[in-house]
Coordinates of all heavy atoms in Angstrom, one line a residue:
M239 N 121.9 109.0 103.9 CA 120.5 108.6 104.0 C 120.4 107.1 103.8 O 120.9 106.5 102.9 CB 119.7 109.4 102.9 CG 118.3 108.9 102.8 SD 117.2 110.2 103.3 CE 115.6 109.5 102.9
E240 N 119.8 106.5 104.8 CA 119.6 105.0 104.7 C 118.2 104.7 104.1 O 117.3 105.4 104.4 CB 119.6 104.4 106.1 CG 121.0 104.7 106.8 CD 121.0 104.0 108.2 OE1 120.1 104.4 109.0 OE2 121.8 103.2 108.4
K241 N 118.2 103.7 103.4 CA 116.9 103.3 102.9 C 116.8 101.8 102.5 O 117.8 101.2 102.3 CB 116.4 104.2 101.7 CG 117.3 103.9 100.4 CD 116.7 104.8 99.3 CE 117.6 104.9 98.1 NZ 117.6 103.7 97.3
F242 N 115.6 101.4 102.5 CA 115.3 100.0 102.1 C 115.2 99.9 100.6 O 114.5 100.7 100.0 CB 113.9 99.6 102.8 CG 113.4 98.3 102.3 CD1 114.2 97.1 102.3 CD2 112.1 98.2 101.8 CE1 113.7 95.9 101.9 CE2 111.6 97.0 101.3 CZ 112.4 95.9 101.4
N243 N 115.9 99.0 100.1 CA 115.9 98.8 98.6 C 115.3 97.5 98.3 O 115.9 96.4 98.3 CB 117.4 98.8 98.1 CG 117.4 98.6 96.6 OD1 116.4 98.5 95.9 ND2 118.6 98.4 96.1
R244 N 114.0 97.5 98.0 CA 113.2 96.3 97.8 C 113.7 95.5 96.6 O 113.7 94.3 96.6 CB 111.7 96.7 97.5 CG 110.8 95.5 97.1 CD 109.4 95.8 97.2 NE 108.9 96.2 98.5 CZ 108.6 95.3 99.4 NH1 108.6 94.0 99.2 NH2 108.2 95.7 100.6
S245 N 114.3 96.2 95.6 CA 114.8 95.4 94.4 C 116.0 94.6 94.7 O 116.4 93.7 93.9 CB 115.1 96.4 93.3 OG 116.1 97.2 93.6
A246 N 116.6 94.8 95.9 CA 117.8 94.0 96.3 C 117.4 92.7 97.0 O 118.3 91.8 97.2 CB 118.7 94.8 97.1
L247 N 116.1 92.5 97.3 CA 115.7 91.3 97.9 C 115.9 90.1 97.0 O 115.7 90.3 95.8 CB 114.2 91.4 98.3 CG 113.8 92.3 99.5 CD1 112.3 92.3 99.7 CD2 114.5 91.8 100.8
Q248 N 116.2 89.0 97.6 CA 116.2 87.8 96.7 C 114.9 87.4 96.2 O 113.9 87.8 96.7 CB 116.6 86.6 97.6 CG 118.1 86.5 98.0 CD 118.3 85.1 98.6 OE1 118.3 84.1 98.0 NE2 118.6 85.2 99.9
R249 N 114.9 86.7 95.1 CA 113.6 86.2 94.5 C 113.1 85.2 95.5 O 113.8 84.4 96.1 CB 113.9 85.5 93.2 CG 114.4 86.5 92.1 CD 114.6 85.8 90.8 NE 113.3 85.4 90.3 CZ 112.4 86.2 89.7 NH1 112.7 87.4 89.5 NH2 111.3 85.7 89.2
P250 N 111.7 85.3 95.7 CA 111.1 84.4 96.7 C 111.5 82.9 96.6 O 111.8 82.2 97.6 CB 109.6 84.6 96.5 CG 109.5 86.0 96.0 CD 110.8 86.2 95.1
A251 N 111.6 82.4 95.4 CA 111.9 81.0 95.2 C 113.3 80.6 95.8 O 113.4 79.6 96.5 CB 111.9 80.6 93.7
N252 N 114.3 81.5 95.5 CA 115.6 81.3 96.1 C 115.6 81.5 97.6 O 116.2 80.7 98.4 CB 116.6 82.3 95.5 CG 116.8 82.1 94.1 OD1 116.5 81.1 93.5 ND2 117.3 83.2 93.4
Y253 N 114.9 82.5 98.1 CA 114.9 82.8 99.5 C 114.3 81.6 100.3 O 114.9 81.2 101.3 CB 114.1 84.1 99.8 CG 113.9 84.3 101.2 CD1 115.0 84.8 102.0 CD2 112.7 84.0 101.9 CE1 114.9 84.9 103.4 CE2 112.6 84.1 103.2 CZ 113.7 84.6 104.0 OH 113.5 84.7 105.4
F254 N 113.1 81.2 99.9 CA 112.5 80.1 100.6 C 113.3 78.8 100.6 O 113.4 78.1 101.6 CB 111.1 79.9 100.1 CG 110.1 81.0 100.4 CD1 109.3 81.6 99.4 CD2 109.9 81.4 101.7 CE1 108.4 82.6 99.8 CE2 109.0 82.4 102.1 CZ 108.3 83.0 101.1
K255 N 113.9 78.6 99.5 CA 114.8 77.4 99.4 C 116.0 77.5 100.4 O 116.3 76.6 101.1 CB 115.3 77.3 98.0 CG 115.9 75.9 97.7 CD 116.3 75.9 96.2 CE 117.3 74.7 95.9 NZ 117.9 74.8 94.6
E256 N 116.5 78.7 100.4 CA 117.7 78.9 101.3 C 117.3 78.8 102.8 O 118.1 78.5 103.7 CB 118.2 80.3 101.1 CG 119.6 80.5 101.5 CD 120.2 81.9 101.0 OE1 119.8 82.9 101.6 OE2 120.9 81.9 100.0
Q257 N 116.0 79.1 103.1 CA 115.5 79.0 104.4 C 115.1 77.6 104.8 O 114.6 77.3 105.9 CB 114.3 79.9 104.6 CG 114.6 81.4 104.5 CD 115.4 81.9 105.8 OE1 115.0 81.7 106.9 NE2 116.5 82.5 105.5
G258 N 115.3 76.7 103.8 CA 115.1 75.3 104.1 C 113.7 74.8 103.9 O 113.3 73.7 104.3
L259 N 112.9 75.6 103.2 CA 111.5 75.1 102.9 C 111.5 74.2 101.7 O 112.1 74.6 100.7 CB 110.6 76.4 102.6 CG 109.9 76.9 103.9 CD1 110.8 77.4 104.9 CD2 108.9 78.0 103.4
K260 N 110.8 73.1 101.8 CA 110.6 72.3 100.6 C 109.2 72.6 100.1 O 108.2 72.3 100.7 CB 110.7 70.8 101.1 CG 112.1 70.4 101.4 CD 112.2 68.8 101.5 CE 113.6 68.4 101.6 NZ 114.3 69.0 102.8
L261 N 109.2 73.2 98.9 CA 108.0 73.6 98.3 C 107.4 72.6 97.4 O 108.1 72.0 96.6 CB 108.2 74.9 97.5 CG 108.8 76.1 98.3 CD1 109.1 77.3 97.4 CD2 107.9 76.5 99.5
T262 N 106.1 72.3 97.6 CA 105.4 71.3 96.7 C 104.2 72.0 96.1 O 103.7 73.0 96.7 CB 105.1 70.1 97.5 OG1 104.2 70.4 98.6 CG2 106.3 69.4 98.0
G263 N 103.6 71.3 95.1 CA 102.4 71.8 94.6 C 102.6 72.6 93.3 O 103.7 73.2 93.1
G264 N 101.7 72.6 92.4 CA 101.9 73.1 91.1 C 101.1 74.4 90.8 O 101.3 75.0 89.7
G265 N 100.4 74.9 91.8 CA 99.6 76.1 91.5 C 100.3 77.4 91.8 O 101.5 77.4 92.0
E266 N 99.6 78.5 91.9 CA 100.2 79.7 92.3 C 100.7 79.7 93.7 O 101.7 80.3 94.0 CB 99.1 80.8 92.2 CG 99.1 81.6 91.0 CD 98.1 82.8 91.0 OE1 97.2 82.8 91.9 OE2 98.2 83.7 90.2
W267 N 100.0 79.0 94.6 CA 100.4 78.9 96.0 C 101.1 77.6 96.1 O 100.5 76.5 95.9 CB 99.2 79.0 96.9 CG 98.6 80.4 97.0 CD1 97.7 80.9 96.1 CD2 98.9 81.4 97.9 NE1 97.4 82.2 96.5 CE2 98.1 82.5 97.6 CE3 99.8 81.5 99.0 CZ2 98.2 83.7 98.3 CZ3 99.9 82.7 99.7 CH2 99.1 83.7 99.4
K268 N 102.3 77.6 96.6 CA 103.1 76.3 96.9 C 102.8 76.0 98.4 O 102.6 76.8 99.2 CB 104.6 76.6 96.7 CG 104.9 77.1 95.3 CD 104.6 76.1 94.3 CE 105.0 76.6 92.9 NZ 104.4 75.8 91.8
N269 N 103.0 74.7 98.7 CA 102.9 74.2 100.0 C 104.2 73.9 100.7 O 105.1 73.5 100.0 CB 102.1 72.9 100.0 CG 100.7 73.1 99.3 OD1 100.0 74.1 99.5 ND2 100.4 72.1 98.5
A270 N 104.3 74.1 102.0 CA 105.5 73.8 102.7 C 105.2 73.6 104.2 O 104.2 74.0 104.6 CB 106.5 74.9 102.6
L271 N 106.1 72.8 104.8 CA 105.9 72.7 106.3 C 106.1 74.1 106.9 O 107.1 74.8 106.5 CB 107.0 71.8 106.9 CG 106.7 70.3 106.6 CD1 107.9 69.5 107.1 CD2 105.4 69.8 107.4
C272 N 105.2 74.5 107.8 CA 105.3 75.8 108.4 C 106.4 75.9 109.5 O 106.4 75.1 110.4 CB 104.0 76.1 109.0 SG 104.0 77.7 109.9
P273 N 107.3 76.8 109.3 CA 108.4 77.0 110.3 C 107.9 77.8 111.6 O 108.7 77.9 112.5 CB 109.5 77.8 109.6 CG 108.7 78.6 108.6 CD 107.5 77.8 108.2
F274 N 106.7 78.3 111.6 CA 106.2 79.1 112.7 C 105.5 78.3 113.7 O 105.1 78.8 114.8 CB 105.3 80.2 112.1 CG 106.1 81.1 111.2 CD1 105.8 81.1 109.8 CD2 107.0 82.0 111.7 CE1 106.5 81.9 108.9 CE2 107.7 82.9 110.8 CZ 107.4 82.8 109.4
H275 N 105.2 77.0 113.5 CA 104.7 76.2 114.5 C 105.2 74.8 114.2 O 105.8 74.5 113.2 CB 103.1 76.3 114.5 CG 102.4 75.5 113.4 ND1 102.3 76.0 112.2 CD2 101.8 74.3 113.4 CE1 101.6 75.1 111.4 NE2 101.3 74.1 112.2
D276 N 104.9 73.9 115.1 CA 105.3 72.5 115.0 C 104.4 71.8 114.0 O 103.4 71.2 114.4 CB 105.3 71.8 116.3 CG 105.9 70.4 116.3 OD1 106.6 70.1 115.3 OD2 105.7 69.6 117.2
D277 N 104.8 71.8 112.7 CA 103.9 71.4 111.6 C 104.2 70.0 111.2 O 105.4 69.6 111.1 CB 104.1 72.3 110.4 CG 102.9 72.3 109.5 OD1 101.9 71.7 109.9 OD2 103.0 73.0 108.5
S278 N 103.1 69.2 111.1 CA 103.4 67.8 110.7 C 102.9 67.5 109.2 O 103.3 66.5 108.6 CB 102.6 66.9 111.6 OG 101.2 67.2 111.6
K279 N 102.1 68.4 108.7 CA 101.7 68.3 107.3 C 101.9 69.7 106.7 O 101.8 70.7 107.5 CB 100.3 67.8 107.1 CG 99.3 68.7 107.9 CD 97.9 68.2 107.6 CE 97.0 69.1 108.4 NZ 95.8 69.4 108.3
P280 N 102.2 69.8 105.4 CA 102.4 71.2 104.9 C 101.2 72.1 105.1 O 100.2 72.0 104.4 CB 102.7 70.9 103.5 CG 103.2 69.5 103.4 CD 102.3 68.8 104.4
S281 N 101.3 73.0 106.0 CA 100.2 74.0 106.3 C 100.4 75.4 105.7 O 99.6 76.2 105.6 CB 99.9 74.1 107.8 OG 99.7 72.9 108.4
L282 N 101.7 75.6 105.4 CA 102.1 76.9 104.9 C 101.9 77.0 103.4 O 102.2 76.1 102.6 CB 103.5 77.2 105.2 CG 104.0 78.6 105.0 CD1 103.5 79.5 106.1 CD2 105.6 78.7 105.0
R283 N 101.3 78.1 103.0 CA 101.1 78.4 101.6 C 102.0 79.6 101.2 O 102.0 80.6 101.9 CB 99.7 78.8 101.2 CG 98.7 77.8 101.7 CD 98.6 76.5 100.8 NE 97.7 75.6 101.4 CZ 98.0 74.6 102.2 NH1 99.2 74.3 102.5 NH2 97.0 73.7 102.6
V284 N 102.8 79.5 100.2 CA 103.6 80.7 99.8 C 103.5 80.9 98.3 O 103.2 80.0 97.5 CB 105.1 80.5 100.1 CG1 105.3 80.1 101.5 CG2 105.8 79.4 99.2
R285 N 103.6 82.2 97.9 CA 103.6 82.5 96.5 C 105.0 82.9 96.1 O 105.6 83.7 96.7 CB 102.7 83.8 96.3 CG 101.2 83.5 96.3 CD 100.5 84.8 95.9 NE 100.7 85.1 94.5 CZ 99.7 85.1 93.6 NH1 98.4 85.0 94.0 NH2 99.9 85.4 92.4
L286 N 105.4 82.4 94.9 CA 106.7 82.6 94.5 C 106.9 83.9 93.7 O 108.0 84.5 93.5 CB 107.3 81.5 93.6 CG 107.4 80.1 94.4 CD1 108.0 79.1 93.5 CD2 108.1 80.3 95.7
D287 N 105.7 84.5 93.3 CA 105.9 85.8 92.6 C 106.0 87.0 93.5 O 106.8 87.8 93.3 CB 104.7 86.0 91.6 CG 103.3 85.9 92.3 OD1 103.3 85.4 93.5 OD2 102.3 86.2 91.7
T288 N 105.3 86.9 94.7 CA 105.3 88.0 95.6 C 106.1 87.7 96.9 O 106.5 88.6 97.6 CB 103.9 88.4 96.0 OG1 103.3 87.3 96.6 CG2 103.1 88.9 94.8
G289 N 106.2 86.4 97.2 CA 106.8 86.1 98.5 C 105.7 86.1 99.6 O 106.1 85.9 100.8
S290 N 104.5 86.3 99.3 CA 103.4 86.2 100.3 C 103.4 84.8 100.9 O 103.6 83.9 100.2 CB 102.0 86.5 99.6 OG 102.0 87.8 99.1
F291 N 103.0 84.8 102.2 CA 102.9 83.5 102.8 C 101.7 83.5 103.8 O 101.4 84.6 104.3 CB 104.2 83.1 103.5 CG 104.6 84.1 104.6 CD1 104.3 83.8 105.9 CD2 105.3 85.3 104.3 CE1 104.7 84.7 107.0 CE2 105.7 86.2 105.3 CZ 105.4 85.9 106.6
K292 N 101.2 82.4 104.1 CA 100.1 82.3 105.0 C 100.0 80.8 105.5 O 100.0 79.9 104.7 CB 98.8 82.6 104.2 CG 97.5 82.5 105.1 CD 96.3 83.0 104.3 CE 95.1 83.0 105.3 NZ 93.9 83.6 104.6
C293 N 99.9 80.7 106.8 CA 99.8 79.3 107.4 C 98.3 79.1 107.7 O 97.6 79.9 108.3 CB 100.6 79.2 108.6 SG 100.4 77.6 109.4
M294 N 97.8 78.0 107.2 CA 96.4 77.6 107.4 C 96.2 77.1 108.8 O 95.0 77.0 109.3 CB 96.0 76.5 106.4 CG 96.3 76.8 105.0 SD 95.9 78.5 104.4 CE 94.1 78.2 103.9
A295 N 97.2 76.8 109.5 CA 97.1 76.2 110.9 C 97.3 77.2 112.0 O 96.5 77.4 112.9 CB 98.0 75.0 111.1
C296 N 98.5 77.9 111.9 CA 98.8 78.9 113.1 C 98.5 80.3 112.7 O 98.5 81.1 113.6 CB 100.2 78.7 113.5 SG 101.4 79.4 112.3
G297 N 98.2 80.6 111.5 CA 97.8 82.0 111.1 C 98.9 82.9 110.8 O 98.7 84.1 110.5
A298 N 100.2 82.4 110.8 CA 101.3 83.3 110.5 C 101.1 83.7 109.0 O 100.7 82.9 108.2 CB 102.6 82.5 110.6
H299 N 101.4 85.0 108.8 CA 101.2 85.5 107.4 C 102.0 86.7 107.2 O 102.4 87.4 108.1 CB 99.7 85.7 107.1 CG 99.1 86.8 107.9 ND1 98.7 86.7 109.2 CD2 98.9 88.1 107.6 CE1 98.3 87.9 109.6 NE2 98.4 88.8 108.7
G300 N 102.2 87.1 105.9 CA 102.9 88.3 105.5 C 102.9 88.4 104.0 O 102.5 87.5 103.3
G301 N 103.4 89.6 103.6 CA 103.2 89.9 102.1 C 104.5 89.7 101.3 O 104.5 89.8 100.1
D302 N 105.7 89.4 102.0 CA 106.9 89.3 101.2 C 108.0 88.6 102.0 O 107.7 88.3 103.2 CB 107.4 90.7 100.7 CG 107.6 91.7 101.8 OD1 107.8 91.2 103.0 OD2 107.6 92.9 101.6
V303 N 109.1 88.4 101.4 CA 110.2 87.6 102.1 C 110.7 88.4 103.2 O 111.2 87.8 104.2 CB 111.3 87.2 101.1 CG1 110.8 86.3 100.0 CG2 112.1 88.4 100.5
L304 N 110.6 89.7 103.2 CA 111.1 90.6 104.3 C 110.2 90.3 105.5 O 110.7 90.1 106.7 CB 111.0 92.0 103.9 CG 111.7 93.0 105.0 CD1 113.2 92.8 105.0 CD2 111.3 94.4 104.8
A305 N 108.9 90.2 105.4 CA 108.0 89.9 106.5 C 108.3 88.5 107.0 O 108.3 88.3 108.2 CB 106.6 90.1 106.0
F306 N 108.6 87.6 106.1 CA 108.9 86.2 106.5 C 110.1 86.2 107.4 O 110.2 85.6 108.4 CB 109.1 85.4 105.3 CG 109.3 83.9 105.6 CD1 108.2 83.0 105.5 CD2 110.5 83.4 105.9 CE1 108.4 81.7 105.8 CE2 110.7 82.0 106.1 CZ 109.6 81.2 106.1
H307 N 111.1 86.9 106.9 CA 112.4 86.9 107.6 C 112.3 87.6 108.9 O 112.9 87.1 109.9 CB 113.4 87.7 106.7 CG 114.9 87.3 107.0 ND1 115.4 86.1 106.7 CD2 115.9 88.0 107.6 CE1 116.7 86.1 107.1 NE2 117.0 87.2 107.6
M308 N 111.6 88.7 109.1 CA 111.4 89.3 110.3 C 110.7 88.4 111.3 O 111.2 88.3 112.5 CB 110.4 90.6 110.2 CG 111.1 91.7 109.5 SD 109.9 93.0 109.0 CE 109.3 93.6 110.6
Q309 N 109.7 87.7 110.9 CA 108.9 86.8 111.8 C 109.7 85.6 112.2 O 109.8 85.2 113.3 CB 107.6 86.4 111.2 CG 106.6 87.6 111.1 CD 105.3 87.2 110.5 OE1 104.7 86.2 110.8 NE2 104.8 88.1 109.6
R310 N 110.4 85.0 111.2 CA 111.1 83.8 111.4 C 112.2 84.0 112.4 O 112.5 83.1 113.2 CB 111.6 83.2 110.1 CG 112.4 82.0 110.2 CD 111.8 80.8 109.5 NE 112.4 79.6 109.9 CZ 113.1 78.8 109.1 NH1 113.3 79.1 107.8 NH2 113.6 77.6 109.6
H311 N 112.9 85.1 112.2 CA 114.1 85.3 113.0 C 114.0 86.4 114.1 O 115.0 86.8 114.7 CB 115.3 85.7 112.1 CG 115.5 84.6 111.0 ND1 116.1 83.4 111.3 CD2 115.3 84.6 109.7 CE1 116.2 82.6 110.2 NE2 115.7 83.3 109.2
G312 N 112.8 86.9 114.3 CA 112.5 87.8 115.3 C 113.3 89.2 115.1 O 113.8 89.7 116.1
L313 N 113.3 89.6 113.9 CA 114.1 90.8 113.6 C 113.2 92.0 113.4 O 112.0 91.9 113.0 CB 114.9 90.6 112.3 CG 115.9 89.4 112.3 CD1 116.5 89.3 111.0 CD2 117.0 89.7 113.4
S314 N 113.8 93.2 113.6 CA 113.0 94.4 113.2 C 113.1 94.5 111.7 O 113.9 93.8 111.0 CB 113.7 95.7 113.8 OG 115.0 95.9 113.2
F315 N 112.3 95.5 111.1 CA 112.3 95.7 109.7 C 113.7 96.0 109.2 O 114.2 95.4 108.2 CB 111.4 96.9 109.4 CG 111.3 97.3 108.0 CD1 110.3 96.7 107.1 CD2 112.1 98.2 107.4 CE1 110.2 97.1 105.8 CE2 112.1 98.6 106.1 CZ 111.1 98.0 105.3
K316 N 114.4 96.9 109.9 CA 115.7 97.3 109.4 C 116.7 96.2 109.5 O 117.5 96.0 108.6 CB 116.2 98.5 110.3 CG 117.5 99.1 109.8 CD 117.8 100.4 110.7 CE 119.2 100.9 110.5 NZ 119.5 102.1 111.2
Q317 N 116.7 95.5 110.7 CA 117.6 94.3 110.8 C 117.4 93.3 109.7 O 118.3 92.7 109.2 CB 117.4 93.6 112.2 CG 117.9 94.4 113.4 CD 117.5 93.8 114.7 OE1 116.4 93.3 114.8 NE2 118.4 93.8 115.6
A318 N 116.1 93.0 109.4 CA 115.8 92.0 108.4 C 116.3 92.5 107.0 O 116.9 91.7 106.3 CB 114.3 91.7 108.4
A319 N 116.1 93.8 106.8 CA 116.5 94.3 105.5 C 118.0 94.2 105.3 O 118.5 93.9 104.3 CB 116.0 95.8 105.3
K320 N 118.7 94.5 106.4 CA 120.2 94.5 106.4 C 120.6 93.0 106.2 O 121.5 92.7 105.4 CB 120.8 94.9 107.7 CG 120.9 96.4 107.8 CD 121.6 96.8 109.2 CE 122.0 98.2 109.2 NZ 122.6 98.6 110.5
D321 N 120.0 92.1 106.9 CA 120.3 90.7 106.8 C 120.1 90.2 105.4 O 120.9 89.3 104.9 CB 119.4 89.9 107.8 CG 120.1 88.7 108.4 OD1 121.3 88.8 108.5 OD2 119.4 87.8 108.7
L322 N 119.2 90.7 104.7 CA 118.9 90.3 103.3 C 119.6 91.1 102.3 O 119.4 90.9 101.1 CB 117.4 90.3 103.1 CG 116.5 89.4 104.0 CD1 115.0 89.7 103.8 CD2 116.9 87.9 103.7
G323 N 120.5 92.0 102.7 CA 121.3 92.8 101.8 C 120.4 93.8 101.1 O 120.8 94.2 99.9
A324 N 119.3 94.2 101.7 CA 118.4 95.2 101.0 C 118.3 96.5 101.8 O 117.4 97.2 101.6 CB 117.0 94.5 100.9
W325 N 119.4 96.8 102.6 CA 119.4 98.0 103.3 C 120.6 98.8 102.8 O 121.7 98.4 102.8 CB 119.5 97.8 104.8 CG 119.4 99.1 105.6 CD1 120.4 99.9 106.0 CD2 118.1 99.7 105.9 NE1 119.8 101.0 106.7 CE2 118.4 100.9 106.6 CE3 116.8 99.4 105.8 CZ2 117.5 101.7 107.1 CZ3 115.8 100.2 106.3 CH2 116.2 101.4 106.9
E326 N 120.3 100.0 102.3 CA 121.4 100.8 101.7 C 121.7 102.0 102.7 O 120.8 102.7 103.0 CB 121.0 101.4 100.4 CG 120.9 100.3 99.3 CD 120.5 100.9 97.9 OE1 120.1 102.1 97.9 OE2 120.6 100.2 96.9
A327 N 122.9 102.1 103.0 CA 123.4 103.2 103.8 C 124.3 104.0 102.9 O 125.4 103.6 102.6 CB 124.1 102.7 105.1
A328 N 123.8 105.2 102.5 CA 124.6 106.0 101.5 C 125.1 107.2 102.2 O 124.5 107.7 103.1 CB 123.8 106.3 100.3
Ligands
ZN579 ZN1 102.0 77.6 111.0

């Protein structure tokens, strides 16, 4: 039985850093250059507790690092989960 193991996902702070995002700002929502459009000022807001992200310019958004990974790399849910080491095939 295959399944998605959410607890195996990286912590959002590590994940976003690994994806090359430079996070700034001191509040709940950090700012970063948006990788989903040609961004010249930090339009992307991300939360490090949940991995939620939302771009104020292009509208890209999602609720966790898995959603970010799917959109950024054009992957299906399963492919993204595998890529992030969060897919268990038992
Ligand atoms: Zn954007």
Side-chain angles (χ1 to χ4, degrees):
M239 173 110 174
E240 297 181 303
K241 67 179 172 73
F242 170 54
N243 177 10
R244 176 168 295 278
S245 64
L247 287 175
Q248 281 190 69
R249 298 184 63 80
N252 295 341
Y253 173 77
F254 288 128
K255 193 175 166 192
E256 204 172 77
Q257 292 290 306
L259 268 62
K260 288 192 170 57
L261 304 176
T262 58
E266 261 185 346
W267 290 87
K268 306 296 181 193
N269 306 315
L271 284 174
C272 177
F274 299 106
H275 77 280
D276 188 14
D277 204 5
S278 56
K279 57 176 178 158
S281 303
L282 189 74
R283 308 284 179 264
V284 308
R285 282 187 73 118
L286 297 185
D287 53 352
T288 60
S290 297
F291 61 96
K292 180 176 185 175
C293 178
M294 310 311 274
C296 73
H299 68 279
D302 57 22
V303 300
L304 187 73
F306 186 96
H307 203 70
M308 287 169 66
Q309 290 179 47
R310 176 121 194 242
H311 302 288
L313 302 174
S314 68
F315 180 89
K316 186 174 168 179
Q317 284 173 323
K320 277 186 171 175
D321 213 30
L322 296 174
W325 188 264
E326 291 183 347

